[in-house]
């Protein structure tokens, strides 16, 4: 096959691809406009009425221009003092001035209405995105492609429903103006409106091709845009500032940021060049069509078949028509672009949790009697390629304190995530009083559990609000918040703050900063505030010195009395206080017993205990 034939085949394939893709996405118009209607119904009605009025004005102005010019030409051969002739020119001229002022007023009013629409629609869609994000499983956030989808929904697609409405409205407005002007031109000859419309078709194809190419580039560049945001965050945020300076990492991260930005910039410049070509092509064909139309009109005037006013009106009509045809093409391209990005929004909103909720949940027991049990559980994180737990079994007795110790990566924190039902096991079961957790409502199950996570969230709110986050639905009183703070050892550092419990924490909003240990105590208070049957503490003393640890542990028994307590820790001085200790290694339990029993067994626990005690003594 010749190169020309190949090029022609590829060209037709491209046209077919664009047409098929556009037709497949047409249902998104209804869904996108439906979001706007739900968010700002009355404002959308007002916007539509104003837009239609604005669309009728250009044709009226063109018609009045013809009348004024023709009457001025006639006035030149009449008596200058003829009052009726002057009035005949003055009235349409004043009407033209009025329509011009009305056009300006409508434009300002439409801009104001659109601003209100934009705020309402953006808030509505952001709320939908937030609700969907909070409803999704933890597994969603393990996949980088999920982050790409979320990024496109948050930064590209959120404005598209309103953009779709705006551009659809402008197409209607421009189309109405084009039809009105075409009707005026049709009075002179059918060739004029045909030239007006036909000269715009190549531009429509060019705009569609550019829009499709831009969308594909943005889809391919999503991860680079996220990486650029990441490196920017690393270079500018307080959390990273110390290491950036100590290890002299600024130049490394800055060069990585600049490399990514260079790729993105080159891509955008390439798309800008493509857009320029599209604009030149559309403008060239439009200019040619307008030139042919004016040539025909001038020829008619030379033969005495039309007047000067008709030529002026045809010129203005063709010029206005070309302007509105360009607007129509541009907005058609923007609608196609909106449809392409709306796909990402609706794709994200259609993602459903993978953790199945039971149709008829089992009732949770008032009090846990038999405890918790992992029964031959096998589990691996999505995309990890390895099992975090393999054929794992463990019993956590009710009302007692159990410690789980082991090396990093042994699978200890995975137990918390399965217990909270952030994930389901691939094999086996997690049982509460011998009932599979999958038979309970996940929301109700989590109300039974309070957790101090290894990396607790630092809420940039007041100290009191930070603690209250542990049980907001219960609307805890000040006394309950302070009791939880005292139990966690957070009361004293909070009292030292400028406004005590009313002091905003964190630097983001000008608040006070806490030490790592103080933040951990606030998080502990948050966990204790929630009066749950199951208490899970993941490295609760990791940021405490030995004196603070001893003081806190001396109160732990009282705080957790009668509650099923699980402590995950590296510190044997913490683990030794438990009723039962499990030693984990590579996703399995290798030893269990009390502290004394494990020391007597002289196994892995005893060796680790001696090594830790010797290190402490040397320290």
């Amino acid at each position: 096959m010749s190169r020309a034939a190949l090029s022609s085949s590829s060209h037709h394939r491209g046209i077919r691809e664009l047409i098929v893709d556009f037709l497949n996405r047409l249902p998104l118009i209804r869904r996108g406009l439906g979001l706007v209607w739900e968010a700002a119904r009355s404002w959308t009605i007002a916007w539509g009425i104003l837009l239609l009025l604005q669309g009728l004005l250009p044709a009226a102005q063109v018609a009045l221009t013809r009348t004024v010019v023709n009457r001025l030409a006639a006035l030149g051969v009449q008596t200058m003092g003829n009052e009726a002739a002057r009035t005949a020119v003055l009235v349409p001229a004043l009407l033209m001035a009025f329509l011009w002022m009305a056009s300006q007023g409508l434009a300002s009013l439409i801009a104001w209405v659109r601003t209100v629409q934009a705020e309402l629609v953006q808030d509505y869609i952001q709320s939908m995105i937030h609700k969907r994000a909070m409803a999704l499983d933890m597994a969603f956030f393990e996949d980088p492609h999920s982050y790409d989808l979320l990024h496109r929904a948050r930064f590209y697609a959120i404005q598209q429903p309103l953009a779709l409405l705006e551009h659809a409205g402008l197409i209607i407005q421009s189309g109405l103006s084009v039809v009105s002007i075409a009707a005026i031109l049709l009075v002179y000859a059918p060739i004029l409106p045909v030239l007006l419309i036909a000269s715009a078709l190549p531009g429509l194809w060019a705009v569609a091709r550019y829009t499709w190419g831009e969308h594909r580039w943005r889809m391919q560049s999503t991860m680079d845009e996220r990486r650029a945001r990441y490196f920017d965050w690393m270079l500018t945020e307080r959390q990273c500032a110390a290491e950036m300076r100590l290890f002299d990492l600024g130049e490394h991260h800055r060069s990585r940021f600049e490399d990514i930005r260079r790729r993105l910039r080159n891509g955008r410049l390439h798309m800008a060049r493509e857009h320029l070509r599209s604009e030149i092509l559309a403008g060239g064909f439009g200019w040619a069509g307008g030139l042919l139309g004016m040539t025909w009109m001038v020829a008619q005037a030379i033969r005495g078949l039309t007047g000067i006013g008709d030529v002026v009106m045809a010129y203005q009509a063709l010029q206005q028509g070309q302007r509105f045809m360009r607007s129509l093409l541009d907005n058609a391209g923007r609608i196609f672009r909106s449809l392409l990005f709306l796909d990402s929004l609706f794709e994200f909103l259609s993602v459903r949790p993978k953790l199945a909720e039971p149709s008829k949940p089992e009732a949770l027991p008032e009090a846990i009697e038999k405890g918790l049990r992992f029964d031959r559980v096998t589990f691996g994180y999505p995309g990890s390629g390895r099992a975090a737990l393999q054929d794992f079994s463990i019993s956590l007795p009710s009302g007692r304190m159990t410690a789980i110790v082991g090396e990093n990566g042994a699978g200890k924190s995975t137990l918390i995530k399965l217990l909270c039902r952030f994930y389901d096991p691939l094999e086996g079961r997690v049982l509460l009083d011998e009932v599979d957790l999958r038979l309970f409502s996940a929301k109700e199950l989590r109300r039974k559990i309070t957790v101090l996570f290894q990396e607790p969230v630092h809420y940039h709110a007041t100290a009191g609000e930070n603690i209250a986050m542990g049980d907001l639905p219960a609307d805890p009183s000040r006394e309950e918040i302070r009791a939880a703070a005292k139990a966690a050892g957070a009361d004293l550092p909070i009292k030292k703050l400028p406004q005590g419990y009313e002091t905003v924490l964190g630097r983001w909003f000008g608040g006070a900063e806490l030490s790592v240990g103080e933040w951990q105590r606030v998080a502990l208070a948050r966990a204790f505030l929630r009066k749950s049957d199951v208490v899970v503490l993941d490295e609760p003393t990791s940021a405490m010195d030995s004196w603070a640890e001893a003081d806190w542990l001396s109160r732990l028994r009282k705080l957790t009395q009668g509650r099923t307590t699980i402590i995950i820790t590296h510190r044997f001085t913490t683990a030794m206080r438990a009723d039962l200790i499990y030693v984990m290694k590579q996703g399995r339990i290798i030893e269990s017993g009390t502290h004394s029993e494990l020391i007597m067994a002289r196994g892995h626990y005893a060796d680790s205990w001696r090594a830790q005690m010797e290190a402490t003594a040397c320290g």
Side-chain angles (χ1 to χ4, degrees):
M1 187 180 289
S2 68
R3 183 178 297 180
L6 281 170
S7 175
S8 175
S9 173
S10 173
H11 177 71
H12 289 301
R13 212 166 36 243
I15 293 175
R16 287 195 299 271
E17 182 184 11
L18 278 172
I19 292 172
V20 169
D21 189 78
F22 180 74
L23 292 176
N24 287 338
R25 293 174 192 271
L26 280 178
L28 293 176
I29 294 178
R30 181 183 58 81
R31 294 181 68 187
L33 295 180
L35 291 177
V36 178
W37 184 253
E38 291 166 15
R41 183 171 303 180
S42 57
W43 291 97
T44 301
I45 293 171
W47 174 83
I49 293 171
L50 292 172
L51 208 67
L52 286 174
L53 289 174
Q54 194 179 47
L56 293 170
L57 289 180
Q61 288 173 319
V62 167
L64 285 170
T65 300
R66 176 199 178 196
T67 301
V68 169
V69 171
N70 280 337
R71 289 182 181 179
L72 278 172
L75 186 61
V77 296
Q78 294 180 11
T79 305
M80 293 299 295
N82 191 323
E83 188 68 28
R86 288 199 298 272
T87 301
V89 173
L90 186 60
V91 170
L94 288 174
L95 279 174
M96 282 181 64
F98 172 77
L99 289 181
W100 181 84
M101 288 188 292
S103 177
Q104 301 301 310
L106 279 174
S108 299
L109 194 56
I110 288 171
W112 176 66
V113 170
R114 188 185 176 281
T115 299
V116 177
Q117 268 185 314
E119 292 296 319
L120 291 172
V121 172
Q122 179 171 321
D123 289 348
Y124 183 76
I125 296 174
Q126 276 187 329
S127 177
M128 293 179 72
I129 291 173
H130 292 163
K131 288 177 182 176
R132 176 55 50 200
M134 288 304 301
L136 293 175
D137 306 323
M138 295 288 287
F140 176 85
F141 300 96
E142 304 284 353
D143 184 358
H145 297 297
S146 297
Y147 282 104
D148 287 347
L149 179 60
L150 182 55
H151 179 88
R152 288 194 292 269
R154 290 174 64 203
F155 296 104
Y156 296 158
I158 196 168
Q159 303 289 345
Q160 298 312 317
L162 190 62
L164 182 65
L165 175 69
E166 179 185 6
H167 299 310
L170 290 173
I171 279 183
I172 293 170
Q173 184 188 54
S174 298
L176 187 62
S177 298
V178 167
V179 169
S180 302
I181 288 171
I184 293 171
L185 293 173
L186 189 61
V187 172
Y188 298 99
I191 190 65
L192 295 179
V194 170
L195 280 174
L196 178 66
I197 295 169
S199 62
L201 295 179
L204 178 61
W205 161 242
V207 167
R209 267 191 90 223
Y210 162 74
T211 303
W212 176 248
E214 182 199 28
H215 175 71
R216 283 192 299 184
W217 175 79
R218 284 191 177 276
M219 293 286 285
Q220 294 163 1
S221 302
T222 302
M223 192 168 287
D224 268 350
E225 291 198 347
R226 288 200 299 109
R227 283 196 182 101
R229 285 176 178 269
Y230 164 74
F231 286 118
D232 177 65
W233 180 82
M234 292 290 288
L235 289 163
T236 57
E237 288 296 323
R238 180 182 180 276
Q239 292 94 319
C240 313
E243 285 206 14
M244 289 291 108
R245 285 153 180 77
L246 178 64
F247 298 118
D248 195 19
L249 298 175
E251 188 59 33
H252 168 77
H253 284 77
R254 193 175 64 81
S255 64
R256 294 288 300 276
F257 174 79
E258 289 182 352
D259 287 344
I260 294 169
R261 284 293 307 153
R262 189 177 299 110
R263 285 202 302 272
L264 292 171
R265 183 171 65 250
N266 289 340
R268 287 196 177 95
L269 290 176
H270 172 73
M271 295 310 302
R273 287 193 295 272
E274 289 298 311
H275 189 230
L276 178 62
R277 290 193 188 101
S278 300
E279 288 283 315
I280 292 173
L281 181 63
F285 277 98
W287 175 83
L291 181 63
L292 287 173
M294 280 307 299
T295 300
W296 187 89
M297 281 298 296
V298 169
Q300 293 294 95
I302 290 172
R303 292 201 296 267
L305 300 176
T306 59
I308 297 174
D310 296 309
V311 174
V312 172
M313 189 209 69
Y315 171 76
Q316 191 177 34
L318 286 168
Q319 189 180 50
Q320 290 269 46
Q322 289 291 342
R323 182 167 68 86
F324 287 116
M325 283 300 297
R326 282 197 297 274
S327 173
L328 194 149
L329 294 180
D330 182 57
N331 285 293
R334 291 178 185 274
I335 281 184
F336 189 30
R337 181 179 184 273
S338 292
L339 292 180
L340 293 171
F341 285 119
L342 272 176
D343 213 11
S344 294
L345 175 63
F346 289 117
E347 183 183 352
F348 173 73
L349 294 176
S350 69
V351 177
R352 292 291 179 266
K354 294 181 180 178
L355 294 180
E357 282 285 302
S359 56
K360 294 182 178 179
E362 292 279 339
L364 282 156
E366 289 292 328
I368 299 174
E369 296 179 358
K370 298 177 183 177
L372 297 156
R373 186 161 67 88
F374 287 71
D375 179 28
R376 306 196 68 178
V377 169
T378 295
F379 174 76
Y381 290 99
S384 67
R386 67 181 183 87
L389 299 173
Q390 184 73 47
D391 197 27
F392 178 86
S393 296
I394 190 175
S395 292
L396 306 165
S398 172
R400 299 176 68 189
M401 183 183 295
T402 304
I404 302 173
V405 298
E407 302 166 353
N408 287 331
K412 304 186 301 298
S413 295
T414 300
L415 300 180
I416 301 175
K417 295 171 184 176
L418 292 173
L419 184 60
C420 295
R421 208 173 166 234
F422 296 148
Y423 303 90
D424 280 338
L426 301 177
E427 296 177 16
R429 301 175 300 165
V430 183
L431 306 167
L432 186 154
D433 278 357
E434 296 305 307
V435 179
D436 194 320
L437 297 188
R438 284 171 283 208
L439 298 178
F440 298 121
S441 160
K443 185 176 182 179
E444 293 304 314
L445 171 67
R446 291 165 191 161
R447 291 288 306 164
K448 282 273 187 185
I449 304 168
T450 187
V451 180
L452 168 68
F453 291 102
Q454 190 170 358
E455 296 180 358
V457 175
H458 297 179
Y459 296 100
H460 290 252
T462 67
E465 288 170 338
N466 257 275
I467 297 171
M469 298 286 184
D471 201 2
L472 281 180
D475 190 20
S477 65
R478 290 184 179 181
E479 290 72 23
E480 289 172 317
I481 290 170
R482 290 182 180 181
K486 288 177 181 177
D491 184 56
L492 186 59
I494 289 176
K495 283 182 176 178
K496 293 179 180 178
L497 296 171
Q499 285 85 40
Y501 283 83
E502 298 304 314
T503 304
V504 174
L505 303 183
R507 297 294 190 192
W508 284 13
F509 308 113
E513 190 56 83
L514 301 180
S515 69
V516 174
E518 289 169 338
W519 270 116
Q520 188 173 37
R521 292 187 187 204
V522 170
L524 274 168
R526 188 157 62 234
F528 285 141
L529 181 71
R530 191 168 187 164
K531 306 290 193 301
S532 301
D533 294 338
V534 180
V535 179
V536 184
L537 307 174
D538 192 355
E539 299 292 352
T541 59
S542 61
M544 296 182 188
D545 55 41
S546 56
W547 294 278
E549 179 189 19
D551 171 64
W552 184 77
L553 288 172
S554 67
R555 292 177 287 162
L556 182 60
R557 278 285 182 182
K558 182 180 178 181
L559 295 169
T560 60
Q561 188 172 4
R563 300 162 81 179
T564 304
T565 306
I566 304 161
I567 299 178
I568 292 172
T569 182
H570 287 87
R571 289 191 178 186
F572 291 96
T573 50
T574 302
M576 66 184 291
R577 309 291 183 104
D579 299 310
L580 177 63
I581 301 170
Y582 286 103
V583 182
M584 283 189 71
K585 189 172 184 179
Q586 296 179 352
R588 293 178 180 272
I589 297 295
I590 59 171
E591 291 178 319
S592 65
T594 65
H595 175 72
S596 299
E597 289 170 346
L598 291 170
I599 292 295
M600 292 292 291
R602 297 186 178 183
H604 184 79
Y605 179 89
D607 292 341
S608 299
W609 165 265
R610 281 192 294 270
Q612 194 171 106
M613 291 305 100
E614 288 172 5
T616 303
C618 292

